Amino acid sequence: MEFIDLKRQYSDIKEKINSGINDVLEHGRYIMGPEVDTLEKNLSDFTGSKHVISCSSGTDALLMSLMSLDVKRGDYIITTPFTYIATAEVISLLGAIPKFIDIDPRTFNIDMHQLEDELKKEPDKYKFIMPVNIFGLPANYPDLFVLKEKYKLLIIEDAAQSFGASIEGRMSCNFGDIGCTSFFPAKPLGCYGDGGAIFTDDDEIAEVLKSIRVHGTGTDKYDNIRIGINGRLDTIQAAILIPKLEILSREIESRNNVAKKYNERLNKNFGIQKNPSGYVSSWAQYSILCNSFEHRETIMKKLANNSIPNAIYYRIPLHLQKVYQKLNYKEGDFQISEDISSRILSLPMHPYLSQKEIKNICDVILGE
Ligand SMILES: *Cc1c(COP(=O)(O)O)cnc(C)c1O
């Protein structure tokens, strides 16, 4: 059994993927070839976002987004400590400062009450917020939109885990002023290497992002008007993503069925991530909350004895990571994130997990 089985999906759409890769090998336009345009157009249709700028990774999507908004040294950017390091890392790379707000214990996403308390306290300090749609579940955007208006905030949506998720039919990547996703192989829509994309309805931001993607070029390739990066998506990766995007809606449905089956068996004995009504998660991870650190150790032992893969996202919240010692946070500062980090456990999750496999995993977990 695999934690995320990418081979079953490949065997289903092998011919399309192989012929897509082959087309690129034949035409030879490895950088910014025609498949990149097609993919961007298809991603725009899928999400409803006016502009899509494909790029080299989810991390670069976030970095380029902050660059396009002219985030500067000393700016504060609000996010949560219960996320992957990349979220905060790009903030620090630009000399800006991550301001952590704790998470809601039910959704594991940013806690709206603590967020509003902080904004009330120092309304002029914050211009940017980077909500993370953790494990594929969108953050509370209906409430975030209210705070955005009230406190004049720009939202950069970290949708690295939530491509294909939605709230009341509105697609993830389309909630922020800018949305960022990742096509790392294990994400809900993954390529066969690194990749990402940026989404915006703002014409001006889209132009700036296209320039940043190619070393800050102006109208001519050798005319440089700003600092940029090499942030392009390879044509081969675009060719791989095109057929994968075609089956994504079906896969999101399957992931939701898997999650439902897990919930039915496990929700009496474990905490589970609560999906508010109207929210559809893309289930990048399916996670359970054990009763304690020791309980988690016991469950992990049972799973290991039965060769069932599992993982801990995230073992150490970002405010307690060594790299952020300089921010002077301490243990106890974000109690929900710390508590959840000590008890959370992610189980195998992918669209091709069979009923039998789910039953087997749950039997092992619930067995003596
Ligand atoms: C994976 C991930 C990223 C980074 O994406 P890469 O494509 O690996 O660079 C950023 N934020 C979150 C929440 C992620 O899960």
Side-chain angles (χ1 to χ4, degrees):
M1 189 184 299
E2 310 249 358
F3 189 61
I4 297 173
D5 195 327
L6 298 169
K7 288 184 212 109
R8 285 192 226 180
Q9 181 201 48
Y10 176 59
S11 77
D12 270 11
I13 52 171
K14 187 171 184 162
E15 269 155 43
K16 277 191 175 177
I17 289 194
N18 289 4
S19 86
I21 293 174
N22 213 52
D23 288 347
V24 178
L25 298 179
E26 293 293 334
H27 69 55
R29 292 172 62 191
Y30 306 122
I31 302 289
M32 298 306 276
E35 286 81 358
V36 173
D37 291 331
T38 305
L39 175 69
E40 289 180 349
K41 163 89 182 39
N42 296 355
L43 289 169
S44 163
D45 290 344
F46 187 90
T47 55
S49 186
K50 186 171 174 197
H51 302 285
V52 178
I53 297 93
S54 62
C55 65
S56 37
S57 70
T59 307
D60 286 342
L62 292 168
L63 177 65
M64 290 163 64
S65 297
L66 296 184
M67 289 168 77
S68 77
L69 296 174
D70 213 14
V71 165
K72 282 194 242 358
R73 185 161 293 279
D75 284 343
Y76 286 90
I77 300 187
I78 297 171
T79 189
T80 88
F82 189 69
T83 177
Y84 184 52
I85 183 70
T87 311
E89 184 181 42
V90 293
I91 298 171
S92 305
L93 262 173
L94 295 174
I97 305 155
K99 168 66 193 177
F100 296 122
I101 300 282
D102 211 352
I103 54 173
D104 183 313
R106 293 160 302 178
T107 62
F108 313 155
N109 280 323
I110 194 161
D111 183 282
M112 300 310 295
H113 298 293
Q114 294 189 50
L115 172 61
E116 181 147 31
D117 286 348
E118 180 62 29
L119 291 168
K120 259 190 211 145
K121 242 192 304 178
E122 304 198 70
D124 299 325
K125 187 166 164 185
Y126 303 108
K127 239 174 35 189
F128 307 100
I129 176 162
M130 205 192 267
V132 181
N133 307 329
I134 205 72
F135 304 152
L137 178 68
N140 185 346
Y141 291 97
D143 286 0
L144 279 166
F145 293 149
V146 176
L147 294 182
K148 171 184 164 64
E149 287 310 310
K150 196 161 163 194
Y151 295 97
K152 302 279 167 276
L153 299 170
L154 290 168
I155 297 178
I156 303 105
E157 180 190 354
D158 183 343
Q161 303 182 1
S162 64
F163 191 84
S166 58
I167 303 176
E168 307 283 1
R170 180 168 172 178
M171 301 306 288
S172 175
C173 295
N174 207 8
F175 293 129
D177 294 275
I178 307 185
C180 299
T181 200
S182 163
F183 300 135
F184 182 80
K187 308 281 170 154
L189 178 62
C191 57
Y192 293 160
D194 278 304
I198 310 171
F199 302 76
T200 184
D201 284 344
D202 187 304
D203 300 345
E204 218 169 294
I205 291 175
E207 279 318 299
V208 173
L209 283 168
K210 282 179 198 164
S211 163
I212 290 173
R213 176 168 66 178
V214 192
H215 302 289
T217 46
T219 44
D220 177 85
K221 192 172 166 188
Y222 295 102
D223 166 30
N224 304 101
I225 57 175
R226 60 172 61 79
I227 294 295
I229 63 172
N230 172 357
R232 297 170 299 238
L233 177 74
D234 292 346
T235 311
I236 284 191
Q237 299 302 343
I240 290 160
L241 286 162
I242 291 167
K244 284 189 147 211
L245 179 60
E246 284 173 15
I247 59 166
L248 187 81
S249 296
R250 208 172 68 216
E251 290 190 339
I252 298 287
E253 232 179 276
S254 304
R255 284 176 188 265
N256 275 279
N257 288 332
V258 172
K260 195 162 154 244
K261 284 275 161 330
Y262 269 138
N263 283 347
E264 284 167 7
R265 284 291 308 276
L266 300 175
N267 70 7
K268 278 186 223 67
N269 302 64
F270 295 89
I272 52 169
Q273 190 181 20
K274 299 276 184 322
N275 278 29
S277 119
Y279 285 57
V280 176
S281 175
S282 57
W283 295 106
Q285 303 294 341
Y286 179 86
S287 308
I288 53 173
L289 274 181
C290 303
N291 302 328
S292 63
F293 181 86
E294 293 72 27
H295 185 214
R296 179 171 72 184
E297 296 283 301
T298 311
I299 302 290
M300 285 172 74
K301 236 176 248 136
K302 285 197 220 176
L303 291 167
N305 288 343
N306 290 275
S307 306
I308 297 169
N310 56 87
I312 297 174
Y313 301 111
Y314 295 93
R315 204 182 275 273
I316 306 174
L318 296 189
H319 67 289
L320 300 179
Q321 291 283 356
K322 192 165 178 194
V323 63
Y324 281 130
Q325 269 174 7
K326 58 176 191 275
L327 295 179
N328 290 320
Y329 285 112
K330 57 185 186 314
E331 219 175 308
D333 281 347
F334 303 106
Q335 292 179 8
I336 306 292
S337 294
E338 291 168 22
D339 174 44
I340 286 177
S341 298
S342 74
R343 299 192 282 129
I344 199 152
L345 183 63
S346 298
L347 304 179
M349 167 51 89
H350 59 80
Y352 304 90
L353 210 56
S354 70
Q355 302 279 350
K356 205 172 138 209
E357 286 171 309
I358 299 168
K359 179 177 183 304
N360 174 237
I361 295 165
C362 294
D363 285 347
V364 167
I365 291 174
L366 297 170
E368 287 307 312

PDB file of all heavy atoms in Angstrom, residues 57-60 62 83-84 86-87 132 134 158 160-161 182-184 187 194-195 314, ligand 1:
ATOM      1  N   SER A  57       7.286  26.311  -9.100  1.00  0.00           N
ATOM      2  CA  SER A  57       6.921  25.547  -7.898  1.00  0.00           C
ATOM      3  C   SER A  57       5.904  26.349  -7.099  1.00  0.00           C
ATOM      4  O   SER A  57       5.694  27.537  -7.370  1.00  0.00           O
ATOM      5  CB  SER A  57       8.157  25.280  -7.017  1.00  0.00           C
ATOM      6  OG  SER A  57       8.597  26.484  -6.420  1.00  0.00           O
ATOM      7  N   GLY A  58       5.323  25.706  -6.107  1.00  0.00           N
ATOM      8  CA  GLY A  58       4.417  26.409  -5.210  1.00  0.00           C
ATOM      9  C   GLY A  58       5.155  27.472  -4.414  1.00  0.00           C
ATOM     10  O   GLY A  58       4.626  28.557  -4.163  1.00  0.00           O
ATOM     11  N   THR A  59       6.367  27.146  -4.016  1.00  0.00           N
ATOM     12  CA  THR A  59       7.171  28.115  -3.267  1.00  0.00           C
ATOM     13  C   THR A  59       7.434  29.355  -4.118  1.00  0.00           C
ATOM     14  O   THR A  59       7.268  30.486  -3.650  1.00  0.00           O
ATOM     15  CB  THR A  59       8.520  27.473  -2.854  1.00  0.00           C
ATOM     16  OG1 THR A  59       8.251  26.250  -2.163  1.00  0.00           O
ATOM     17  CG2 THR A  59       9.318  28.390  -1.964  1.00  0.00           C
ATOM     18  N   ASP A  60       7.817  29.151  -5.379  1.00  0.00           N
ATOM     19  CA  ASP A  60       8.056  30.302  -6.258  1.00  0.00           C
ATOM     20  C   ASP A  60       6.765  31.067  -6.547  1.00  0.00           C
ATOM     21  O   ASP A  60       6.786  32.286  -6.720  1.00  0.00           O
ATOM     22  CB  ASP A  60       8.717  29.851  -7.569  1.00  0.00           C
ATOM     23  CG  ASP A  60      10.183  29.487  -7.361  1.00  0.00           C
ATOM     24  OD1 ASP A  60      10.750  29.906  -6.330  1.00  0.00           O
ATOM     25  OD2 ASP A  60      10.751  28.789  -8.212  1.00  0.00           O
ATOM     26  N   LEU A  62       4.389  31.586  -4.415  1.00  0.00           N
ATOM     27  CA  LEU A  62       4.212  32.459  -3.253  1.00  0.00           C
ATOM     28  C   LEU A  62       5.226  33.605  -3.278  1.00  0.00           C
ATOM     29  O   LEU A  62       4.879  34.770  -3.041  1.00  0.00           O
ATOM     30  CB  LEU A  62       4.373  31.656  -1.959  1.00  0.00           C
ATOM     31  CG  LEU A  62       3.288  30.621  -1.656  1.00  0.00           C
ATOM     32  CD1 LEU A  62       3.722  29.695  -0.518  1.00  0.00           C
ATOM     33  CD2 LEU A  62       1.969  31.302  -1.297  1.00  0.00           C
ATOM     34  N   THR A  83       1.643  24.973   9.251  1.00  0.00           N
ATOM     35  CA  THR A  83       1.747  24.866   7.804  1.00  0.00           C
ATOM     36  C   THR A  83       3.151  24.401   7.453  1.00  0.00           C
ATOM     37  O   THR A  83       4.009  24.224   8.328  1.00  0.00           O
ATOM     38  CB  THR A  83       1.426  26.222   7.119  1.00  0.00           C
ATOM     39  OG1 THR A  83       1.608  26.109   5.708  1.00  0.00           O
ATOM     40  CG2 THR A  83       2.321  27.337   7.627  1.00  0.00           C
ATOM     41  N   TYR A  84       3.360  24.196   6.157  1.00  0.00           N
ATOM     42  CA  TYR A  84       4.681  23.827   5.661  1.00  0.00           C
ATOM     43  C   TYR A  84       5.581  25.055   5.690  1.00  0.00           C
ATOM     44  O   TYR A  84       5.113  26.184   5.523  1.00  0.00           O
ATOM     45  CB  TYR A  84       4.510  23.298   4.228  1.00  0.00           C
ATOM     46  CG  TYR A  84       5.759  22.789   3.587  1.00  0.00           C
ATOM     47  CD1 TYR A  84       6.563  21.847   4.228  1.00  0.00           C
ATOM     48  CD2 TYR A  84       6.150  23.239   2.332  1.00  0.00           C
ATOM     49  CE1 TYR A  84       7.716  21.372   3.636  1.00  0.00           C
ATOM     50  CE2 TYR A  84       7.301  22.770   1.727  1.00  0.00           C
ATOM     51  CZ  TYR A  84       8.086  21.841   2.387  1.00  0.00           C
ATOM     52  OH  TYR A  84       9.213  21.375   1.778  1.00  0.00           O
ATOM     53  N   ALA A  86       7.469  26.453   3.678  1.00  0.00           N
ATOM     54  CA  ALA A  86       7.523  27.341   2.500  1.00  0.00           C
ATOM     55  C   ALA A  86       6.653  28.586   2.677  1.00  0.00           C
ATOM     56  O   ALA A  86       7.015  29.673   2.198  1.00  0.00           O
ATOM     57  CB  ALA A  86       7.093  26.586   1.248  1.00  0.00           C
ATOM     58  N   THR A  87       5.515  28.445   3.355  1.00  0.00           N
ATOM     59  CA  THR A  87       4.598  29.572   3.551  1.00  0.00           C
ATOM     60  C   THR A  87       5.314  30.754   4.197  1.00  0.00           C
ATOM     61  O   THR A  87       5.220  31.896   3.731  1.00  0.00           O
ATOM     62  CB  THR A  87       3.408  29.152   4.454  1.00  0.00           C
ATOM     63  OG1 THR A  87       2.855  27.941   3.975  1.00  0.00           O
ATOM     64  CG2 THR A  87       2.344  30.225   4.501  1.00  0.00           C
ATOM     65  N   VAL A 132      -3.694  29.800   4.734  1.00  0.00           N
ATOM     66  CA  VAL A 132      -3.299  28.512   4.162  1.00  0.00           C
ATOM     67  C   VAL A 132      -4.522  27.596   4.187  1.00  0.00           C
ATOM     68  O   VAL A 132      -5.213  27.529   5.201  1.00  0.00           O
ATOM     69  CB  VAL A 132      -2.165  27.874   4.987  1.00  0.00           C
ATOM     70  CG1 VAL A 132      -1.740  26.541   4.382  1.00  0.00           C
ATOM     71  CG2 VAL A 132      -0.982  28.827   5.099  1.00  0.00           C
ATOM     72  N   ILE A 134      -5.330  24.394   4.733  1.00  0.00           N
ATOM     73  CA  ILE A 134      -4.525  23.256   5.179  1.00  0.00           C
ATOM     74  C   ILE A 134      -5.190  21.910   4.863  1.00  0.00           C
ATOM     75  O   ILE A 134      -6.390  21.752   5.054  1.00  0.00           O
ATOM     76  CB  ILE A 134      -4.169  23.384   6.687  1.00  0.00           C
ATOM     77  CG1 ILE A 134      -2.896  22.624   7.008  1.00  0.00           C
ATOM     78  CG2 ILE A 134      -5.299  22.951   7.594  1.00  0.00           C
ATOM     79  CD1 ILE A 134      -1.637  23.265   6.478  1.00  0.00           C
ATOM     80  N   ASP A 158      -2.589  30.757   0.077  1.00  0.00           N
ATOM     81  CA  ASP A 158      -1.687  29.619  -0.088  1.00  0.00           C
ATOM     82  C   ASP A 158      -2.561  28.389  -0.352  1.00  0.00           C
ATOM     83  O   ASP A 158      -3.023  27.718   0.571  1.00  0.00           O
ATOM     84  CB  ASP A 158      -0.785  29.416   1.129  1.00  0.00           C
ATOM     85  CG  ASP A 158       0.216  28.271   0.916  1.00  0.00           C
ATOM     86  OD1 ASP A 158      -0.001  27.450  -0.008  1.00  0.00           O
ATOM     87  OD2 ASP A 158       1.207  28.194   1.665  1.00  0.00           O
ATOM     88  N   ALA A 160      -1.581  25.750  -2.023  1.00  0.00           N
ATOM     89  CA  ALA A 160      -0.668  24.682  -2.463  1.00  0.00           C
ATOM     90  C   ALA A 160      -1.298  23.301  -2.288  1.00  0.00           C
ATOM     91  O   ALA A 160      -1.035  22.387  -3.059  1.00  0.00           O
ATOM     92  CB  ALA A 160       0.651  24.761  -1.706  1.00  0.00           C
ATOM     93  N   GLN A 161      -2.140  23.163  -1.242  1.00  0.00           N
ATOM     94  CA  GLN A 161      -2.735  21.846  -0.958  1.00  0.00           C
ATOM     95  C   GLN A 161      -4.188  21.756  -1.421  1.00  0.00           C
ATOM     96  O   GLN A 161      -4.809  20.707  -1.250  1.00  0.00           O
ATOM     97  CB  GLN A 161      -2.660  21.571   0.556  1.00  0.00           C
ATOM     98  CG  GLN A 161      -1.243  21.626   1.095  1.00  0.00           C
ATOM     99  CD  GLN A 161      -1.153  21.313   2.578  1.00  0.00           C
ATOM    100  OE1 GLN A 161      -2.153  21.024   3.226  1.00  0.00           O
ATOM    101  NE2 GLN A 161       0.045  21.375   3.132  1.00  0.00           N
ATOM    102  N   SER A 182       0.559  24.556  -5.927  1.00  0.00           N
ATOM    103  CA  SER A 182       1.749  23.753  -6.193  1.00  0.00           C
ATOM    104  C   SER A 182       1.356  22.528  -7.001  1.00  0.00           C
ATOM    105  O   SER A 182       0.304  21.941  -6.755  1.00  0.00           O
ATOM    106  CB  SER A 182       2.361  23.306  -4.862  1.00  0.00           C
ATOM    107  OG  SER A 182       3.268  22.233  -5.067  1.00  0.00           O
ATOM    108  N   PHE A 183       2.203  22.151  -7.941  1.00  0.00           N
ATOM    109  CA  PHE A 183       2.005  20.906  -8.688  1.00  0.00           C
ATOM    110  C   PHE A 183       3.050  19.868  -8.307  1.00  0.00           C
ATOM    111  O   PHE A 183       3.359  18.963  -9.086  1.00  0.00           O
ATOM    112  CB  PHE A 183       2.049  21.174 -10.206  1.00  0.00           C
ATOM    113  CG  PHE A 183       1.001  22.139 -10.691  1.00  0.00           C
ATOM    114  CD1 PHE A 183       1.331  23.161 -11.575  1.00  0.00           C
ATOM    115  CD2 PHE A 183      -0.327  22.027 -10.276  1.00  0.00           C
ATOM    116  CE1 PHE A 183       0.372  24.056 -12.029  1.00  0.00           C
ATOM    117  CE2 PHE A 183      -1.295  22.922 -10.721  1.00  0.00           C
ATOM    118  CZ  PHE A 183      -0.944  23.935 -11.601  1.00  0.00           C
ATOM    119  N   PHE A 184       3.614  19.986  -7.111  1.00  0.00           N
ATOM    120  CA  PHE A 184       4.487  18.939  -6.571  1.00  0.00           C
ATOM    121  C   PHE A 184       3.728  17.604  -6.696  1.00  0.00           C
ATOM    122  O   PHE A 184       2.512  17.570  -6.513  1.00  0.00           O
ATOM    123  CB  PHE A 184       4.790  19.272  -5.101  1.00  0.00           C
ATOM    124  CG  PHE A 184       5.714  18.310  -4.422  1.00  0.00           C
ATOM    125  CD1 PHE A 184       7.083  18.396  -4.618  1.00  0.00           C
ATOM    126  CD2 PHE A 184       5.219  17.320  -3.574  1.00  0.00           C
ATOM    127  CE1 PHE A 184       7.942  17.500  -3.987  1.00  0.00           C
ATOM    128  CE2 PHE A 184       6.070  16.426  -2.945  1.00  0.00           C
ATOM    129  CZ  PHE A 184       7.438  16.520  -3.156  1.00  0.00           C
ATOM    130  N   LYS A 187       0.724  16.607  -4.433  1.00  0.00           N
ATOM    131  CA  LYS A 187      -0.416  17.518  -4.214  1.00  0.00           C
ATOM    132  C   LYS A 187      -1.629  17.019  -5.002  1.00  0.00           C
ATOM    133  O   LYS A 187      -1.482  16.196  -5.911  1.00  0.00           O
ATOM    134  CB  LYS A 187      -0.039  18.933  -4.650  1.00  0.00           C
ATOM    135  CG  LYS A 187       1.256  19.454  -4.053  1.00  0.00           C
ATOM    136  CD  LYS A 187       1.100  19.941  -2.622  1.00  0.00           C
ATOM    137  CE  LYS A 187       2.490  20.195  -2.046  1.00  0.00           C
ATOM    138  NZ  LYS A 187       2.576  21.165  -0.994  1.00  0.00           N
ATOM    139  N   ASP A 194       8.762  19.457 -10.281  1.00  0.00           N
ATOM    140  CA  ASP A 194       8.264  20.629  -9.572  1.00  0.00           C
ATOM    141  C   ASP A 194       7.453  21.510 -10.518  1.00  0.00           C
ATOM    142  O   ASP A 194       7.746  21.587 -11.713  1.00  0.00           O
ATOM    143  CB  ASP A 194       9.443  21.439  -9.012  1.00  0.00           C
ATOM    144  CG  ASP A 194       9.952  20.868  -7.698  1.00  0.00           C
ATOM    145  OD1 ASP A 194       9.121  20.741  -6.768  1.00  0.00           O
ATOM    146  OD2 ASP A 194      11.141  20.540  -7.602  1.00  0.00           O
ATOM    147  N   GLY A 195       6.457  22.166  -9.962  1.00  0.00           N
ATOM    148  CA  GLY A 195       5.647  23.085 -10.749  1.00  0.00           C
ATOM    149  C   GLY A 195       4.676  23.817  -9.845  1.00  0.00           C
ATOM    150  O   GLY A 195       4.465  23.438  -8.693  1.00  0.00           O
ATOM    151  N   TYR A 314       1.902  18.576  11.052  1.00  0.00           N
ATOM    152  CA  TYR A 314       3.310  18.881  11.068  1.00  0.00           C
ATOM    153  C   TYR A 314       3.813  18.631  12.468  1.00  0.00           C
ATOM    154  O   TYR A 314       3.138  18.998  13.414  1.00  0.00           O
ATOM    155  CB  TYR A 314       3.519  20.341  10.662  1.00  0.00           C
ATOM    156  CG  TYR A 314       3.087  20.537   9.205  1.00  0.00           C
ATOM    157  CD1 TYR A 314       1.796  20.953   8.905  1.00  0.00           C
ATOM    158  CD2 TYR A 314       3.966  20.261   8.167  1.00  0.00           C
ATOM    159  CE1 TYR A 314       1.401  21.097   7.587  1.00  0.00           C
ATOM    160  CE2 TYR A 314       3.560  20.412   6.847  1.00  0.00           C
ATOM    161  CZ  TYR A 314       2.290  20.819   6.570  1.00  0.00           C
ATOM    162  OH  TYR A 314       1.891  20.943   5.278  1.00  0.00           O
TER     163      TYR A 314
HETATM  164  C1  LIG B   1       3.757  22.148  -0.803  1.00  0.00           C
HETATM  165  C2  LIG B   1       3.472  23.446  -0.155  1.00  0.00           C
HETATM  166  C3  LIG B   1       4.111  24.637  -0.555  1.00  0.00           C
HETATM  167  C4  LIG B   1       5.260  24.651  -1.517  1.00  0.00           C
HETATM  168  O1  LIG B   1       5.025  24.077  -2.758  1.00  0.00           O
HETATM  169  P1  LIG B   1       6.275  23.470  -3.596  1.00  0.00           P
HETATM  170  O2  LIG B   1       5.698  23.216  -4.934  1.00  0.00           O
HETATM  171  O3  LIG B   1       6.723  22.234  -2.897  1.00  0.00           O
HETATM  172  O4  LIG B   1       7.340  24.506  -3.641  1.00  0.00           O
HETATM  173  C5  LIG B   1       3.713  25.817   0.035  1.00  0.00           C
HETATM  174  N1  LIG B   1       2.751  25.857   0.974  1.00  0.00           N
HETATM  175  C6  LIG B   1       2.130  24.746   1.398  1.00  0.00           C
HETATM  176  C7  LIG B   1       1.047  24.856   2.426  1.00  0.00           C
HETATM  177  C8  LIG B   1       2.479  23.497   0.861  1.00  0.00           C
HETATM  178  O5  LIG B   1       1.857  22.398   1.301  1.00  0.00           O
END
